[in-house]
Amino acid sequence: MSQVFEGYERQYCELSANLTKKCNSANILDGEQKKQKVSEIKAGLDDAEALIRKMDLEARSLPPNVKATLLAKLREYKSDLNNLKTEVKRITSGNANQAARDELLESGMADANMVSADQRQRLMMSTERMNRSSDRIRDSRKTMLETEDLGVSILQDLHQQRQSLLHAHDTLHGVDDNISRSKKILTTMSRRMSRNKWIIGTIIVVLVLAILLVLYFKLAH
């Protein structure tokens, strides 16, 4: 999740809790004190709206999977801000009389505090759920990237093995050619040796016959 968004989110939650307390205090005030408190609340609402706008801009600048999660959180915060605005309008409407204020002091204040506490609790729970969802999305994206890297590595290994096999095939083909040439050379040499053997044998026979003839003529004389 964006750290910038988290910073705005933290500021908004603190500001919302503070404005809720001020609204509760304004309900039991009168005259100038009440006007001053309402002015402080309105200024705080302006700050809250500015934080909402900043969160919206930051969320829309992020990737789609993260943006969807943050915009869902932002809807919760906008709803909380609208509730605060409604409460301020009720405080400043001037229709509530002293009896209503007394009744509010007796029962309404407790209910309002409970509602505000429950609402903040729901916001915190929703934020925690969305943070967990963001973590799961981030982990899934990390796993996907790791799987993609592994696939690329396997493809590269297969390509290298294919190149090695092709090289080995070329080498074997060259060896076969060399063997064939050597076989032809040996066959030729064998034929030449056989032919030379016959020639040498014939020469020896001729020489022996010549020697015998010479001896015969010598003995005859």
Side-chain angles (χ1 to χ4, degrees):
M1 184 182 294
S2 169
Q3 293 183 353
V4 176
F5 186 93
E6 288 179 349
Y8 293 149
E9 181 182 31
R10 187 164 51 251
Q11 293 178 45
Y12 176 81
C13 289
E14 294 174 356
L15 182 58
S16 175
N18 187 34
L19 289 174
T20 300
K21 291 179 181 179
K22 288 183 177 182
C23 286
N24 293 337
S25 299
N27 282 317
I28 59 175
L29 296 176
D30 291 318
E32 291 300 324
Q33 289 182 338
K34 184 173 183 178
K35 290 181 180 179
Q36 183 178 357
K37 184 64 68 175
V38 169
S39 297
E40 293 176 3
I41 294 171
K42 288 181 177 180
L45 289 176
D46 291 339
D47 293 338
E49 284 184 330
L51 288 172
I52 290 289
R53 287 193 297 271
K54 290 178 180 179
M55 283 191 284
D56 185 73
L57 290 173
E58 177 65 19
R60 295 182 187 280
S61 67
L62 297 174
N65 55 343
V66 180
K67 178 172 69 175
T69 302
L70 297 184
L71 289 178
K73 293 175 83 172
L74 196 57
R75 284 193 291 271
E76 293 277 348
Y77 297 141
K78 287 180 179 179
S79 175
D80 175 67
L81 182 60
N82 288 331
N83 290 337
L84 288 172
K85 289 180 178 179
T86 301
E87 179 67 13
V88 172
K89 287 180 181 180
R90 189 191 63 79
I91 294 172
T92 58
S93 63
N95 294 327
N97 53 25
Q98 185 64 39
R101 286 197 297 271
D102 292 340
E103 182 179 358
L104 178 63
L105 287 174
E106 293 176 0
S107 60
M109 284 291 292
D111 293 339
N113 287 332
M114 184 177 298
V115 169
S116 297
D118 290 343
Q119 189 175 45
R120 283 196 299 273
Q121 183 66 24
R122 287 196 300 272
L123 284 172
M124 294 297 292
M125 291 176 64
S126 177
T127 299
E128 184 178 356
R129 285 196 301 270
M130 291 180 181
N131 285 336
R132 286 198 299 268
S133 298
S134 298
D135 291 340
R136 285 195 295 270
I137 291 172
R138 185 167 56 251
D139 292 340
S140 298
R141 186 169 181 271
K142 180 180 178 182
T143 301
M144 180 184 68
L145 292 175
E146 290 175 350
T147 303
E148 182 180 351
D149 291 340
L150 179 60
V152 171
S153 177
I154 291 173
L155 288 175
Q156 290 176 346
D157 291 340
L158 290 174
H159 178 71
Q160 292 176 355
Q161 292 175 7
R162 180 176 180 273
Q163 293 297 323
S164 298
L165 289 173
L166 290 174
H167 179 70
H169 179 269
D170 293 340
T171 301
L172 289 174
H173 183 71
V175 171
D176 288 341
D177 291 342
N178 290 332
I179 291 173
S180 297
R181 285 194 296 270
S182 299
K183 185 177 180 181
K184 290 179 181 179
I185 292 171
L186 289 174
T187 301
T188 303
M189 290 176 66
S190 177
R191 289 174 181 175
R192 288 179 180 177
M193 288 176 66
S194 297
R195 188 168 57 250
N196 291 336
K197 188 184 296 183
W198 283 105
I199 292 171
I200 291 171
T202 302
I203 292 171
I204 291 172
V205 170
V206 171
L207 289 174
V208 170
L209 289 174
I211 291 170
L212 290 175
L213 286 173
V214 171
L215 290 174
Y216 175 76
F217 284 118
K218 284 183 177 182
L219 291 174
H221 291 292

